[in-house]
Amino acid sequence: MSDDVLDRWEPVIGLEVHVQLATASKAFSSSAIAFGAPPNSLTDPVVLGLPGALPVFNRRALEHAVRLGLAVGATIRRRSRFARKHYFYPDSPKGYQISQYDEPLCEGGAIELVCGGQRRAVRLTRIHLEEDAGKNTHTAGTTSLVDLNRCGVPLVEVVSEPDVRSAEEAAEYMRALHALVRYLGISEADMEKGQMRCDANVSLRPRGATAYGTRAELKNINSFRFVQKAIEHEILRQARILDGGGTVVQETRLWDGAAGTSQSLRGKEEALDYRYFPDPDLPVLVVDDATIDGLRAGLPELPMARLDRLVALGLALDDARTLMVDRDLGDYFDAALQARGDAALQARGDAALAARGDAAAARSLANWLVGDLLGALNRDGRAVADSPVTPAGLAALVRLVDDDVISGKIAKDVLARAYASGEAPDAIVEREGLRQITDAGAIEALARQIVEANPKQAAQYRGGKDNLLGFFVGQLMKASGGKANPQLASELLRKLLAG
Ligand code: ADP
Ligand code: MG
């Protein structure tokens, strides 16, 4: 994005994110939830809104939502209420959606994130419970298809304050929330399956102004990358309008990820249009202190706690962030770190080195994981959980590098081959005898051969061309199959050439 737009205009962004709660059955009935089931096979009279069918709220969904509220430091309302939100569309057979309106389950709290090398907090307005709608598919012809399998699936809607100030920060907010719900185990949050969906509200104001400008709401954003792209696009669109002396229309716009543009969907509805009223079929939703205390006690380590722990271990903030936003990657790192400690313990009986807090070991492990291994996994579109190199395997390899048993260059090669074959990296090192040659006698013998084989260069070196030392070291490394210890090789060559 051209910077002069951002010099003049400050983006103000608030996000409304829907997250599907991981439950076996729907929010208000025993109808099952499954992705990819035959259309309209997962319904029942409640989902279909048949006369006389009555909703009963899913306790598991409530517990999941309370966990999220506790994790973000929200206030949990002890008595909240369901409301009917009316609209007429084929994806909603009842003619209304059960949601929460004036008495949501959670209020306040914040999502913490790392953006631009800094920790930030984005305040939350509320988190409320609601049910999902079905899915309409409009075919190329004149037909529209309705699938009600998703209808009635429990969701939380997480509404932020307009605290976000850039497209990048909005994407980080999504990653942080995604990480949080996955750590909590309350949602798979698979964006490709629509389990986490984002509506972004965007407005601009002149730099230095305090009043908010008119916002547009972008719907249908279904990836982290698109969150950033859609908002960047919207910022430019609004800046062009405002720079041309126009006004931004408050409206809902549909983001088209394939085209990279948005188009107006409809004017903004007002709450009044939805004719909210308390759902008479559902009792007040009561959460007692014992339930809250029990759920609080069961919370796992949260993403930001992991981040702090990794930073305290000695990792750079950005590496810690990379390991934090992906729970599987963070778990992989923890397992490797544990194995790293155990391996060192076995090898040396040195309890201090085996301690999980060994900063140098942690940093080098993080570098190999985030750099080489993650690079290969990303290149192939493979999940960390399916890594052909196990945490123990990576830990063993990194220990060999850290202990100067193999060079970094050989380790890269071994890692690539272990990744391709699934063999343990340390087994490859042993089988192929890749341990570094640190025996001075053996290296010196090689050094002599190299010097003798290159008399012209030797003479030039002795005549003052110091930088030819690199040539000799290179030749020696090549002759040793990369196994000679480079420092030792360089030292011995220097001595030999000087003598
Ligand atoms: P609605 O429910 O009608 O969509 P809300 O007032 O509840 O509207 O706000 C929805 C979202 O829009 C919130 O995330 C809020 O932070 C954000 N928002 C409100 N005003 C602005 C604004 N001027 N610019 C950007 N975002 C805004
Ligand atoms: Mg909205």
Side-chain angles (χ1 to χ4, degrees):
M1 183 174 333
S2 65
D3 281 340
D4 64 313
V5 164
L6 295 177
D7 286 345
R8 273 171 287 136
W9 301 105
E10 181 180 41
V12 171
I13 301 157
L15 300 162
E16 296 166 278
V17 183
H18 287 92
V19 182
Q20 178 178 331
L21 297 172
T23 56
S25 58
K26 294 196 177 170
F28 299 103
S29 78
S30 58
S31 174
I33 296 174
F35 185 80
N40 296 306
S41 60
L42 307 176
T43 66
D44 65 7
V46 173
V47 169
L48 296 174
L50 299 183
L54 286 173
V56 178
F57 188 51
N58 186 327
R59 182 171 179 91
R60 182 60 64 86
L62 174 67
E63 290 172 353
H64 283 345
V66 170
R67 285 189 181 97
L68 180 58
L70 291 170
V72 299
T75 305
I76 315 287
R77 203 184 276 276
R78 297 303 194 269
R79 296 169 66 84
S80 69
R81 260 203 303 187
F82 287 109
R84 292 184 178 182
K85 179 181 181 179
H86 296 82
Y87 68 93
F88 189 71
Y89 205 59
D91 63 11
S92 172
K94 294 197 296 292
Y96 62 86
Q97 174 192 28
I98 305 177
S99 181
Q100 294 192 301
Y101 182 51
D102 51 355
E103 296 179 38
L105 181 67
C106 307
E107 281 168 307
I111 300 287
E112 292 181 273
L113 54 91
V114 176
C115 187
Q118 278 185 315
R119 277 186 76 133
R120 286 218 48 207
V122 172
R123 291 170 301 156
L124 295 183
T125 313
R126 58 192 268 152
I127 301 173
H128 67 249
L129 287 156
E130 61 185 34
E131 59 176 343
D132 209 345
K135 208 174 162 165
N136 299 317
T137 307
H138 307 291
T139 63
T142 50
T143 329
S144 288
L145 303 168
V146 183
D147 178 6
L148 296 177
N149 284 356
R150 209 180 63 185
C151 192
V153 165
L155 306 174
V156 278
E157 178 170 345
V158 181
V159 182
S160 87
E161 290 288 297
D163 277 358
V164 176
R165 292 290 174 268
S166 71
E168 187 196 356
E169 194 181 356
E172 278 309 316
Y173 173 93
M174 287 295 284
R175 288 195 183 91
L177 179 55
H178 183 262
L180 186 59
V181 299
R182 289 185 47 89
Y183 278 53
L184 290 169
I186 65 170
S187 176
E188 293 291 318
D190 185 336
M191 292 185 78
E192 279 176 21
K193 292 183 185 164
Q195 294 170 346
M196 182 168 170
R197 310 194 289 269
C198 171
D199 300 339
N201 297 270
V202 181
S203 66
L204 299 184
R205 63 182 172 190
R207 289 266 167 209
T210 49
Y212 293 143
T214 304
R215 71 183 144 123
E217 180 176 12
L218 296 162
K219 282 210 177 286
N220 194 34
I221 313 176
N222 59 5
S223 78
F224 298 126
R225 201 163 53 84
F226 283 163
V227 170
Q228 184 155 348
K229 281 206 147 175
I231 293 175
E232 280 172 357
H233 179 270
E234 181 61 17
I235 290 170
L236 285 180
R237 191 188 70 86
Q238 292 187 13
R240 217 169 290 137
I241 293 172
L242 295 170
D243 284 338
T247 50
V248 173
V249 180
Q250 181 163 345
E251 63 183 351
T252 300
R253 301 182 66 85
L254 196 66
W255 169 252
D256 179 344
T261 56
S262 64
Q263 49 175 303
S264 182
L265 186 67
R266 55 172 183 255
K268 176 79 194 149
E269 330 63 359
E270 299 296 336
L272 236 119
D273 298 335
Y274 290 125
R275 296 168 183 81
Y276 279 103
F277 65 79
D279 193 314
D281 286 345
L282 284 157
V284 168
L285 185 61
V286 177
V287 191
D288 58 24
D289 289 347
T291 302
I292 289 183
D293 291 345
L295 291 171
R296 195 194 304 276
L299 292 181
E301 180 185 51
L302 299 180
M304 279 309 196
R306 169 174 264 164
L307 181 97
D308 289 337
R309 176 167 60 77
L310 296 180
V311 168
L313 266 179
L315 298 197
L317 185 66
D318 276 337
D319 285 341
R321 176 204 153 276
T322 305
L323 296 175
M324 173 272 286
V325 292
D326 181 341
R327 180 183 177 179
D328 290 340
L329 191 61
D331 287 350
Y332 186 108
F333 178 77
D334 280 345
L337 197 60
Q338 178 84 55
R340 175 79 175 78
D342 292 348
L345 187 67
Q346 283 161 15
R348 311 186 183 185
D350 182 342
L353 234 179
R356 301 176 97 217
D358 185 342
R363 269 200 296 270
S364 108
L365 204 49
N367 286 341
W368 283 93
L369 173 55
V370 172
D372 291 74
L373 184 54
L374 189 60
L377 290 165
N378 285 345
R379 181 195 63 211
D380 298 346
R382 285 174 92 149
V384 182
D386 304 331
S387 168
V389 179
T390 64
L394 184 70
L397 181 73
V398 174
R399 186 168 62 86
L400 292 175
V401 183
D402 289 351
D403 292 352
D404 279 331
V405 175
I406 58 174
S407 68
K409 196 158 170 290
I410 285 190
K412 266 186 193 297
D413 182 46
V414 168
L415 185 59
R417 288 163 55 201
Y419 177 88
S421 70
E423 201 179 350
D426 44 330
I428 296 179
V429 170
E430 294 312 325
R431 191 187 63 230
E432 302 195 1
L434 296 176
R435 289 170 169 267
Q436 280 202 60
I437 305 169
T438 48
D439 168 16
I443 295 179
E444 198 179 332
L446 272 177
R448 279 186 198 288
Q449 285 172 26
I450 299 292
V451 172
E452 270 164 32
N454 297 282
K456 209 172 87 201
Q457 284 85 349
Q460 285 173 342
Y461 177 86
R462 290 185 176 121
K465 275 194 99 176
D466 286 355
N467 57 8
L468 273 176
L469 185 67
F471 161 77
F472 285 104
V473 174
Q475 292 294 307
L476 194 151
M477 292 306 292
K478 209 163 135 195
S480 73
K483 292 191 297 182
N485 177 298
Q487 282 86 2
L488 205 53
S490 145
E491 236 170 75
L492 290 169
L493 275 166
R494 197 194 314 255
K495 239 192 258 166
L496 206 63
L497 286 162

